[in-house]
Amino acid sequence: FHLMTSHRFERQPSQQTPELHRVPLERVVLRAKRLFPDEGAADTLGTLPEPPNPTPIRSAVLTRVSLGALSPAAAGAVPPQPHERITPLGSHLALLPLDVRVGKLLLLGHLLGCADASLTLAASLSCRSPFVAPFGQRVQADEARRKLTYKGSDHLTLLHVYQSWAALASAKERRLYCEENFLSFKGMELIRSTRTELANALARIGIRQETIAAAAPREALRALLVSALWPRISKVEPVGGKGDG
């Protein structure tokens, strides 16, 4: 509940817009395909009392195809495939209550031997950035972040910062680390708790975290990030030379 003027109240619709008309349909499409694998996602969602528009459904299907969660329809194939099909990756992603790209990052992390790092990366992507810039200290905060930058990558920087923070023995040391490096202590704690939630989500579908976290090779981490987040990635190259990636 919240307060509003009588004029605004009188202009409110009598009923709220159905949720399927307000939210992205990527996860909905995957769940529909998992429940009804032999039907097209548009056909399944079209049977709902207030079905979403066909355009966002098609967009969601194309996005899932690009991520490897669905295979496209192929009427000329043998045997014919009149509708998109859910892939093994898509079947696992449909079970995770996560953004599809974050879920793919976690699953690929286990396949590539980067399970612990993938948990931290996925948690960091699911939370607000822990970097802060207090009023009047923007220059100092930017300089602190520049010093923490790792291998020219925002994602690897967050991973390195979290690992350094988590390795400290006491809460007092972790707070001091945050103060010195312009990091939010609550933000770092949130990343840690989100890691636990993600690990529990994986455990519920039968994927267990290794007891001892092994250091992931840098190239494996790069491959993981590119595979999971493509095409939402970029590489910055300084003038006169190649970027570090």
Side-chain angles (χ1 to χ4, degrees), residues 94-237:
L95 296 172
L96 293 172
L98 308 168
D99 174 81
V100 178
R101 286 183 175 82
V102 173
K104 185 177 180 180
L105 178 65
L106 291 171
L107 295 175
L108 291 180
H110 278 72
L111 293 176
L112 293 174
C114 309
D116 187 74
S118 70
L119 278 173
T120 301
L121 290 168
S124 299
L125 290 170
S126 302
C127 302
R128 291 185 59 182
S129 171
F131 289 99
V132 295
F135 181 76
Q137 295 181 280
R138 166 67 69 178
V139 174
Q140 297 93 318
D142 289 345
E143 178 63 16
R145 182 163 184 172
R146 186 190 64 78
K147 290 180 179 179
L148 289 172
T149 298
Y150 187 75
K151 304 300 183 183
S153 168
D154 291 340
H155 299 96
L156 296 184
T157 295
L158 281 170
L159 174 61
H160 181 68
V161 166
Y162 178 83
Q163 290 173 336
S164 300
W165 176 84
L168 297 172
S170 66
K172 182 178 180 180
E173 290 177 293
R174 291 193 291 272
R175 284 186 181 276
L176 181 60
Y177 179 84
C178 289
E179 292 173 4
E180 292 175 346
N181 294 287
F182 290 87
L183 294 164
S184 166
F185 182 78
K186 289 184 178 179
M188 298 299 289
E189 289 281 2
L190 181 59
I191 291 175
R192 181 163 65 177
S193 64
T194 302
R195 268 178 49 96
T196 301
E197 292 175 6
L198 295 176
N200 291 338
L202 289 173
R204 284 193 289 271
I205 65 172
I207 300 176
R208 299 285 179 178
Q209 172 75 358
E210 63 260 24
T211 304
I212 300 176
R218 177 182 168 191
E219 292 307 317
L221 290 173
R222 282 184 167 182
L224 170 64
L225 288 167
V226 171
S227 299
L229 303 179
W230 182 267
R232 297 182 180 179
I233 58 174
S234 63
K235 179 179 180 181
V236 178
E237 293 190 0

